[in-house]
Amino acid sequence: MTREADRTTSCRPDDAGRLETPRDAHALLPHGAPFSLVDQIVGILPDGGFSRSIVRAENPLLDEFGELAREALPEYAAQTAAALDSLKRGGRVSPGFLVEVVDSVFSGAAREGSVIEAETRVEYEFERWRGIRFRVAADGKPVAEGLLKICIFD
């Protein structure tokens, strides 16, 4: 299921200009179930933010033993960056894609039921292109970090 690129969600700042968290991330992503992996945006920073998700049984990146594919860990970070981008655009969802994962270290694993926490920070922006530094933890333990190269269309 694909969401319309111009779909919006209510993202109004408080009196101090801050966006309230947590926020449902599913309405902020350009694709739907089962590939909408990030559940909530739980923190927003000027250059990034934080998400929290639960690895559910319907996750297409789980193997037959309930282990999450290692490649899924940067995808949680990419979706976190996409949801944060949508929030910063007032809730307007823009399509995009993960181009490359570089300088990455994988130090653990996740499985069905794990709580995934992702932190992202924009390292650079050039037109549609962004470099996103990421860290991902599963059940409170670091499992991946590196740099994402993503493209977001307006």
Side-chain angles (χ1 to χ4, degrees):
M1 179 164 85
T2 303
R3 296 179 190 211
E4 295 176 27
D6 62 351
R7 183 175 176 176
T8 61
T9 185
S10 176
C11 299
R12 294 184 178 82
D14 65 14
D15 291 336
R18 298 175 300 224
L19 293 171
E20 292 180 24
T21 55
R23 290 277 182 161
D24 175 32
H26 298 288
L28 299 167
L29 295 170
H31 43 266
F35 209 69
S36 179
L37 304 178
V38 175
D39 294 330
Q40 292 183 318
I41 296 299
V42 295
I44 301 170
L45 303 168
D47 64 344
F50 306 89
S51 70
R52 185 174 298 124
S53 309
I54 297 173
V55 179
R56 304 196 190 291
E58 61 272 13
N59 187 315
L61 302 172
L62 285 173
D63 68 15
E64 63 271 14
F65 304 107
E67 295 287 327
L68 189 65
R70 198 168 76 166
E71 298 82 13
L73 299 171
E75 180 62 29
Y76 277 90
Q79 289 191 23
T80 299
L84 287 163
D85 184 76
S86 295
L87 276 173
K88 290 177 181 177
R89 294 171 183 254
R92 187 171 57 84
V93 178
S94 296
F97 59 94
L98 175 58
V99 176
E100 185 177 21
V101 181
V102 295
D103 299 330
S104 299
V105 176
F106 295 92
S107 55
R111 60 177 302 103
E112 182 182 340
S114 290
V115 174
I116 302 288
E117 295 169 304
E119 174 186 356
T120 64
R121 301 226 179 201
V122 177
E123 195 164 280
Y124 66 84
E125 287 187 53
F126 178 71
E127 296 179 356
R128 297 178 180 165
W129 306 97
R130 305 228 179 35
I132 307 289
R133 186 65 53 193
F134 76 92
R135 288 189 275 183
V136 177
D139 299 322
K141 297 177 184 149
V143 293
E145 62 181 89
L147 180 71
L148 306 172
K149 294 182 181 181
I150 62 174
C151 178
I152 298 177
F153 297 100
D154 290 328

